[in-house]
Amino acid sequence: MKERRSDFDVTNTVNVIDPQMVCGEVCRLLQKTYPDINLKAVKQLFVDFERLYTGKLDGYRACETPYHDMMHALDVALCTTRLLSGFDLREDRIGAFEAVLGVVVALLHDSGYIRKTGQHRYRSGAEMTKIHVTQSGNFLAHYLPTLGLEHAVEACQQMLHFTGYEIPVDKIHLRDTRLYTLGAIIGSADLLAQMSDRCYLEKCRDRLYVEFVASGLASKDAPNGGFDSPEDLLRKTPDFYR
């Protein structure tokens, strides 16, 4: 049995720190599932994503959050595509166009952690943890028109909430049931991808705790009850997992 590599996905076949490798697998799955799909927007998305996270997109700094990093976003996008591909084996499909929106939302669901170059209120992206879903929605509002998807901004902003805790799932407003299901798939992928990471526990202890401290979520007054130390976060992780 081949040893699982820490920078590869759960199948040990896709390097999830390589945007173009993930893009290739995502496009392969989408093409297989929807033979007539137009992948131009998806391919441009991955190019822009890499520029954003490496600080090469005008107006934005590079990603600073050690846990919510490029690898996590790529892993979530890949997991979303796999879940969607399996779901759409049914006759009642979500659909090709909606699948493109799903990949966009999945890949950029944590873009709100990335600071703008002129943003001095926060000293790091981790300090924006409590507002990162809203910030991600603001980024999508600016970015989606560049892909010709300006009419999908509101729906994509709503789907983002499946990856956060600001709004209960049953309070998320999406009139199209297909988009609601798609949002649920993205939210599920967000959890599945991080929990199936070979280094999940180590990352919780050594990276996520750092973000919690910066955002105030490690304090005793935090809604989650806080954490005394990285080891305390590790001890409480099984409860979150369940």
Side-chain angles (χ1 to χ4, degrees):
M1 181 177 177
K2 186 164 64 174
E3 183 178 352
R4 169 88 181 274
R5 290 167 286 188
S6 61
D7 54 352
F8 274 62
D9 73 311
V10 70
T11 70
N12 210 26
T13 61
V14 181
N15 187 334
V16 283
I17 62 172
D18 184 340
Q20 290 312 304
M21 189 172 188
V22 175
C23 179
E25 180 62 11
V26 166
C27 288
R28 185 190 70 80
L29 284 168
L30 291 175
Q31 193 80 66
K32 178 182 178 181
T33 310
Y34 316 100
D36 298 326
I37 192 171
N38 186 339
L39 294 170
K40 181 179 179 181
V42 175
K43 292 176 181 178
Q44 184 60 50
L45 165 69
F46 276 87
V47 171
D48 295 335
F49 164 82
E50 184 171 9
R51 292 175 61 215
L52 173 66
Y53 270 71
T54 56
K56 296 176 183 175
L57 189 66
D58 287 344
Y60 294 90
R61 301 171 182 267
C63 177
E64 305 164 308
T65 41
Y67 184 86
H68 293 93
D69 58 1
M70 179 184 287
M71 177 177 173
H72 169 66
L74 289 168
D75 216 354
V76 173
L78 179 59
C79 186
T80 294
T81 308
R82 285 172 170 161
L83 290 176
L84 183 57
S85 179
F87 187 89
D88 269 6
L89 290 173
R90 313 176 323 149
E91 290 184 8
D92 184 18
R93 290 181 154 204
I94 289 177
F97 174 74
E98 290 76 12
V100 171
L101 297 184
V103 175
V104 172
V105 174
L107 194 59
L108 297 175
H109 78 281
D110 281 337
S111 57
Y113 280 106
I114 296 179
R115 291 190 296 160
K116 294 181 178 179
T117 51
Q119 196 171 35
H120 303 297
R121 179 181 176 184
Y122 301 99
R123 293 168 295 180
S124 72
E127 290 188 5
M128 300 191 292
T129 296
K130 296 176 184 178
I131 61 167
H132 84 276
V133 175
T134 298
Q135 294 276 84
S136 296
N138 293 339
F139 180 82
L140 286 181
H142 168 75
Y143 177 69
L144 283 173
T146 70
L147 297 179
L149 299 173
E150 57 273 5
H151 55 289
V153 168
E154 184 178 354
C156 288
Q157 288 176 326
Q158 287 297 311
M159 283 191 282
L160 280 172
H161 286 294
F162 284 90
T163 70
Y165 300 95
E166 295 87 348
I167 301 177
V169 170
D170 59 354
K171 301 295 183 183
I172 299 174
H173 298 297
L174 281 163
R175 286 175 288 182
D176 189 327
T177 57
R178 293 177 304 160
L179 293 180
Y180 191 91
T181 300
L182 179 57
I185 286 174
I186 295 167
S188 299
D190 188 19
L191 294 172
L192 282 169
Q194 59 185 304
M195 291 179 178
S196 61
D197 187 327
R198 181 178 176 272
C199 301
Y200 174 59
L201 294 177
E202 293 92 329
K203 287 182 177 180
C204 285
R205 181 191 63 196
D206 302 335
R207 302 185 186 185
L208 186 59
Y209 181 76
V210 173
E211 292 186 17
F212 280 173
V213 170
S215 65
L217 289 176
S219 71
K220 292 297 183 183
D221 298 327
N224 56 21
F227 306 101
D228 293 331
S229 64
E231 290 72 27
D232 186 40
L233 170 59
L234 200 59
R235 282 193 296 271
K236 294 175 179 176
T237 294
D239 286 335
F240 172 76
Y241 197 103
R242 283 188 286 271

